[in-house]
Amino acid sequence: LDEYTELHIHQALQQCCSEQQQQQQQQHSPAGTHQSSQQPQHSIEYEVRFAHDTGPKFVNMLRAAQLSGLAYYSSTTHLCSHPVWGSWFALRAVAVIDLQGPDPSAFAQLPCLYPHLEAESALVVEQLQAKGGLNKWKQHWRDWARLRSLGGKYSDSRHAYSSEQLEYHYTKSRNVLIAAVNKLRQTEQESQQQAVGRDHAR
Protein backbone atom coordinates (compact mmCIF):
# COMPACT_ATOMS: atom_id res chain seq x y z
CA LEU A 1 0.00 0.00 0.00
CA ASP A 2 2.87 2.40 0.72
CA GLU A 3 4.24 1.99 -2.81
CA TYR A 4 0.75 2.43 -4.29
CA THR A 5 0.28 5.58 -2.20
CA GLU A 6 3.59 7.08 -3.28
CA LEU A 7 2.94 6.34 -6.98
CA HIS A 8 -0.49 7.93 -7.12
CA ILE A 9 0.29 10.93 -4.93
CA HIS A 10 3.36 11.73 -7.05
CA GLN A 11 1.25 11.39 -10.20
CA ALA A 12 -1.40 13.73 -8.79
CA LEU A 13 1.20 16.31 -7.75
CA GLN A 14 2.96 16.18 -11.11
CA GLN A 15 -0.35 16.73 -12.88
CA CYS A 16 -1.21 19.61 -10.55
CA CYS A 17 2.17 21.28 -11.09
CA SER A 18 1.93 20.81 -14.85
CA GLU A 19 -1.53 22.41 -14.98
CA GLN A 20 -0.39 25.32 -12.84
CA GLN A 21 2.65 25.85 -15.05
CA GLN A 22 0.45 25.94 -18.16
CA GLN A 23 -1.79 28.54 -16.52
CA GLN A 24 1.21 30.67 -15.62
CA GLN A 25 2.52 30.50 -19.20
CA GLN A 26 -0.86 31.56 -20.58
CA GLN A 27 -1.05 34.48 -18.15
CA HIS A 28 2.44 35.73 -19.08
CA SER A 29 2.12 35.19 -22.83
CA PRO A 30 1.27 38.37 -24.78
CA ALA A 31 -1.93 38.21 -26.80
CA GLY A 32 -1.41 36.59 -30.18
CA THR A 33 1.94 35.08 -29.20
CA HIS A 34 2.45 31.34 -29.35
CA GLN A 35 3.69 29.76 -26.15
CA SER A 36 6.40 27.93 -28.08
CA SER A 37 8.08 31.27 -28.86
CA GLN A 38 8.32 32.21 -25.22
CA GLN A 39 11.30 31.41 -23.06
CA PRO A 40 10.88 28.06 -21.31
CA GLN A 41 9.82 28.43 -17.71
CA HIS A 42 11.19 26.42 -14.85
CA SER A 43 9.09 23.50 -13.74
CA ILE A 44 7.20 23.91 -10.49
CA GLU A 45 8.88 21.98 -7.72
CA TYR A 46 7.28 20.20 -4.81
CA GLU A 47 8.28 18.15 -1.82
CA VAL A 48 6.19 15.43 -0.28
CA ARG A 49 6.52 13.59 3.01
CA PHE A 50 4.65 10.34 3.58
CA ALA A 51 3.13 8.95 6.74
CA HIS A 52 5.45 5.94 6.51
CA ASP A 53 8.60 8.10 6.31
CA THR A 54 10.93 7.82 9.28
CA GLY A 55 14.10 9.62 10.36
CA PRO A 56 14.73 13.17 9.07
CA LYS A 57 11.69 13.03 6.78
CA PHE A 58 9.24 12.19 9.56
CA VAL A 59 6.21 14.47 9.84
CA ASN A 60 3.57 14.25 12.56
CA MET A 61 0.57 13.77 10.28
CA LEU A 62 -1.93 14.23 13.10
CA ARG A 63 -0.66 17.70 13.96
CA ALA A 64 -0.32 18.56 10.28
CA ALA A 65 -4.00 17.71 9.82
CA GLN A 66 -4.89 20.01 12.70
CA LEU A 67 -2.71 22.92 11.54
CA SER A 68 -4.11 22.72 8.00
CA GLY A 69 -7.69 22.84 9.26
CA LEU A 70 -8.45 19.39 7.85
CA ALA A 71 -9.33 17.74 11.16
CA TYR A 72 -9.38 18.19 14.92
CA TYR A 73 -6.54 16.42 16.72
CA SER A 74 -6.95 15.21 20.30
CA SER A 75 -3.69 14.80 22.17
CA THR A 76 -5.58 12.65 24.70
CA THR A 77 -6.98 10.01 22.35
CA HIS A 78 -4.41 10.58 19.56
CA LEU A 79 -7.31 10.62 17.12
CA CYS A 80 -8.06 13.04 14.32
CA SER A 81 -11.75 13.79 13.77
CA HIS A 82 -13.18 15.07 10.50
CA PRO A 83 -16.58 16.82 10.27
CA VAL A 84 -17.84 14.27 7.73
CA TRP A 85 -15.73 11.12 8.09
CA GLY A 86 -15.24 11.24 11.85
CA SER A 87 -12.21 9.08 12.67
CA TRP A 88 -12.64 6.90 9.57
CA PHE A 89 -9.94 8.33 7.33
CA ALA A 90 -6.18 7.95 6.97
CA LEU A 91 -3.47 10.58 6.63
CA ARG A 92 -1.04 9.48 3.92
CA ALA A 93 1.10 12.47 2.99
CA VAL A 94 1.88 16.17 3.30
CA ALA A 95 2.93 18.06 0.19
CA VAL A 96 4.53 21.49 -0.15
CA ILE A 97 4.35 23.07 -3.62
CA ASP A 98 6.42 26.05 -4.75
CA LEU A 99 3.40 28.22 -5.54
CA GLN A 100 1.75 31.28 -4.08
CA GLY A 101 -0.72 29.93 -1.55
CA PRO A 102 -3.64 31.37 0.38
CA ASP A 103 -3.24 33.54 3.44
CA PRO A 104 -2.44 31.47 6.56
CA SER A 105 -5.67 32.73 8.09
CA ALA A 106 -7.52 30.56 5.55
CA PHE A 107 -6.44 27.51 7.50
CA ALA A 108 -8.69 27.99 10.52
CA GLN A 109 -8.23 25.15 12.98
CA LEU A 110 -11.29 23.11 13.84
CA PRO A 111 -12.69 23.12 17.37
CA CYS A 112 -13.26 19.89 19.26
CA LEU A 113 -15.96 18.09 17.26
CA TYR A 114 -16.97 15.53 19.89
CA PRO A 115 -16.56 16.96 23.40
CA HIS A 116 -18.02 13.84 25.03
CA LEU A 117 -15.45 11.55 23.41
CA GLU A 118 -12.66 12.49 25.83
CA ALA A 119 -14.70 11.33 28.81
CA GLU A 120 -16.11 8.25 27.07
CA SER A 121 -12.68 7.04 26.02
CA ALA A 122 -10.90 7.81 29.30
CA LEU A 123 -10.86 4.17 30.45
CA VAL A 124 -9.59 2.84 27.10
CA VAL A 125 -6.88 5.52 26.99
CA GLU A 126 -5.83 4.67 30.56
CA GLN A 127 -5.57 0.97 29.67
CA LEU A 128 -3.50 1.76 26.57
CA GLN A 129 -1.13 3.95 28.54
CA ALA A 130 -0.64 1.13 31.05
CA LYS A 131 0.26 -1.18 28.13
CA GLY A 132 2.97 1.17 26.84
CA GLY A 133 0.95 3.76 24.98
CA LEU A 134 2.11 4.73 21.50
CA ASN A 135 5.46 2.99 22.04
CA LYS A 136 3.73 -0.40 21.87
CA TRP A 137 0.73 0.33 19.71
CA LYS A 138 1.53 -2.47 17.25
CA GLN A 139 1.30 -5.12 19.98
CA HIS A 140 -2.06 -3.73 21.11
CA TRP A 141 -3.53 -2.58 17.82
CA ARG A 142 -6.94 -4.09 18.61
CA ASP A 143 -7.25 -1.79 21.62
CA TRP A 144 -6.29 1.19 19.46
CA ALA A 145 -8.87 0.08 16.90
CA ARG A 146 -11.48 -0.05 19.66
CA LEU A 147 -10.59 3.52 20.59
CA ARG A 148 -10.96 4.57 16.96
CA SER A 149 -14.38 2.92 16.87
CA LEU A 150 -15.47 5.01 19.85
CA GLY A 151 -14.62 8.15 17.91
CA GLY A 152 -16.14 6.79 14.73
CA LYS A 153 -19.59 6.23 16.20
CA TYR A 154 -20.32 9.95 15.89
CA SER A 155 -20.05 9.87 12.10
CA ASP A 156 -22.07 8.09 9.42
CA SER A 157 -21.59 4.34 9.83
CA ARG A 158 -21.12 4.02 6.06
CA HIS A 159 -17.66 5.56 6.51
CA ALA A 160 -16.57 2.98 9.09
CA TYR A 161 -13.68 0.66 8.27
CA SER A 162 -14.40 -3.03 7.83
CA SER A 163 -12.64 -5.47 10.13
CA GLU A 164 -10.16 -6.23 7.33
CA GLN A 165 -9.46 -2.53 6.79
CA LEU A 166 -8.87 -2.01 10.50
CA GLU A 167 -6.48 -4.93 10.78
CA TYR A 168 -4.48 -3.90 7.72
CA HIS A 169 -4.43 -0.25 8.77
CA TYR A 170 -2.79 -1.12 12.08
CA THR A 171 -0.69 -4.18 11.17
CA LYS A 172 0.18 -3.70 7.45
CA SER A 173 -0.09 -7.50 7.18
CA ARG A 174 0.33 -8.67 3.58
CA ASN A 175 -1.76 -11.73 4.41
CA VAL A 176 -4.73 -9.51 5.26
CA LEU A 177 -4.28 -7.59 2.01
CA ILE A 178 -3.97 -10.75 -0.08
CA ALA A 179 -7.07 -12.24 1.54
CA ALA A 180 -9.05 -9.06 0.85
CA VAL A 181 -7.95 -9.00 -2.80
CA ASN A 182 -8.85 -12.68 -3.25
CA LYS A 183 -12.25 -12.06 -1.65
CA LEU A 184 -12.88 -9.18 -4.03
CA ARG A 185 -11.88 -11.28 -7.04
CA GLN A 186 -14.16 -14.08 -5.92
CA THR A 187 -17.06 -11.64 -5.55
CA GLU A 188 -16.44 -10.26 -9.03
CA GLN A 189 -16.28 -13.75 -10.52
CA GLU A 190 -19.55 -14.71 -8.85
CA SER A 191 -21.20 -11.55 -10.15
CA GLN A 192 -19.98 -12.30 -13.67
CA GLN A 193 -21.26 -15.88 -13.45
CA GLN A 194 -24.65 -14.66 -12.27
CA ALA A 195 -24.80 -12.17 -15.15
CA VAL A 196 -23.98 -14.93 -17.65
CA GLY A 197 -26.65 -17.14 -16.08
CA ARG A 198 -29.26 -14.41 -16.45
CA ASP A 199 -28.29 -13.91 -20.11
CA HIS A 200 -28.71 -17.64 -20.82
CA ALA A 201 -32.07 -17.68 -19.07
CA ARG A 202 -33.49 -15.06 -21.40
Side-chain angles (χ1 to χ4, degrees), residues 114-154:
Y114 314 119
H116 300 298
L117 178 59
E118 304 284 325
E120 291 178 6
S121 59
L123 179 59
V124 179
V125 171
E126 183 180 342
Q127 292 172 344
L128 285 168
Q129 293 297 341
K131 294 178 179 179
L134 290 175
N135 292 326
K136 294 186 177 180
W137 68 269
K138 286 187 177 181
Q139 293 94 312
H140 307 290
W141 69 266
R142 287 184 174 83
D143 295 316
W144 284 103
R146 184 158 60 97
L147 179 61
R148 194 186 198 104
S149 297
L150 285 175
K153 72 179 184 180
Y154 292 99

Side-chain angles (χ1 to χ4, degrees), residues 4 34 57 62 64 76-77 82 87 107 126-127 132 139 145 172 185 194:
Y4 175 88
H34 294 293
K57 288 190 173 184
L62 301 176
T76 302
T77 62
H82 186 273
S87 59
F107 300 102
E126 183 180 342
Q127 292 172 344
Q139 293 94 312
K172 296 295 187 293
R185 287 175 176 171
Q194 291 175 359

Side-chain angles (χ1 to χ4, degrees), residues 14 19-20 59 70 79 84-86 88 103-105 139 143 159-160 162 172 174 178 192:
Q14 289 166 3
E19 291 174 354
Q20 289 294 322
V59 171
L70 173 66
L79 287 175
V84 176
W85 304 310
W88 302 117
D103 188 273
S105 61
Q139 293 94 312
D143 295 316
H159 301 310
S162 66
K172 296 295 187 293
R174 291 180 63 86
I178 291 172
Q192 291 174 356

Side-chain angles (χ1 to χ4, degrees), residues 1-197:
L1 182 59
D2 291 344
E3 294 178 0
Y4 175 88
T5 299
E6 290 190 18
L7 173 64
H8 286 274
I9 287 180
H10 276 300
Q11 287 179 345
L13 286 169
Q14 289 166 3
Q15 180 178 353
C16 174
C17 290
S18 176
E19 291 174 354
Q20 289 294 322
Q21 186 174 4
Q22 290 177 5
Q23 291 180 11
Q24 290 181 353
Q25 290 175 344
Q26 292 172 356
Q27 292 172 357
H28 291 88
S29 296
T33 304
H34 294 293
Q35 293 182 14
S36 59
S37 64
Q38 301 300 306
Q39 293 182 353
Q41 297 196 12
H42 297 292
S43 60
I44 298 174
E45 297 183 353
Y46 68 86
E47 183 174 353
V48 59
R49 303 287 180 88
F50 295 96
H52 54 266
D53 284 337
T54 57
K57 288 190 173 184
F58 172 78
V59 171
N60 188 321
M61 295 291 166
L62 301 176
R63 295 197 180 279
Q66 180 183 26
L67 292 173
S68 67
L70 173 66
Y72 172 78
Y73 168 61
S74 168
S75 59
T76 302
T77 62
H78 300 289
L79 287 175
C80 271
S81 300
H82 186 273
V84 176
W85 304 310
S87 59
W88 302 117
F89 70 106
L91 302 164
R92 300 297 181 192
V94 170
V96 177
I97 306 175
D98 186 18
L99 288 170
Q100 182 68 36
D103 188 273
S105 61
F107 300 102
Q109 296 186 25
L110 293 176
C112 180
L113 300 176
Y114 314 119
H116 300 298
L117 178 59
E118 304 284 325
E120 291 178 6
S121 59
L123 179 59
V124 179
V125 171
E126 183 180 342
Q127 292 172 344
L128 285 168
Q129 293 297 341
K131 294 178 179 179
L134 290 175
N135 292 326
K136 294 186 177 180
W137 68 269
K138 286 187 177 181
Q139 293 94 312
H140 307 290
W141 69 266
R142 287 184 174 83
D143 295 316
W144 284 103
R146 184 158 60 97
L147 179 61
R148 194 186 198 104
S149 297
L150 285 175
K153 72 179 184 180
Y154 292 99
S155 60
D156 193 321
S157 59
R158 291 177 298 177
H159 301 310
Y161 288 1
S162 66
S163 58
E164 292 88 352
Q165 281 178 294
L166 271 174
E167 184 172 357
Y168 183 77
H169 179 82
Y170 285 102
T171 67
K172 296 295 187 293
S173 170
R174 291 180 63 86
N175 291 334
V176 174
L177 187 61
I178 291 172
V181 171
N182 290 337
K183 182 179 179 180
L184 178 61
R185 287 175 176 171
Q186 182 178 357
T187 301
E188 291 177 345
Q189 289 176 355
E190 291 175 352
S191 297
Q192 291 174 356
Q193 291 173 355
Q194 291 175 359
V196 171

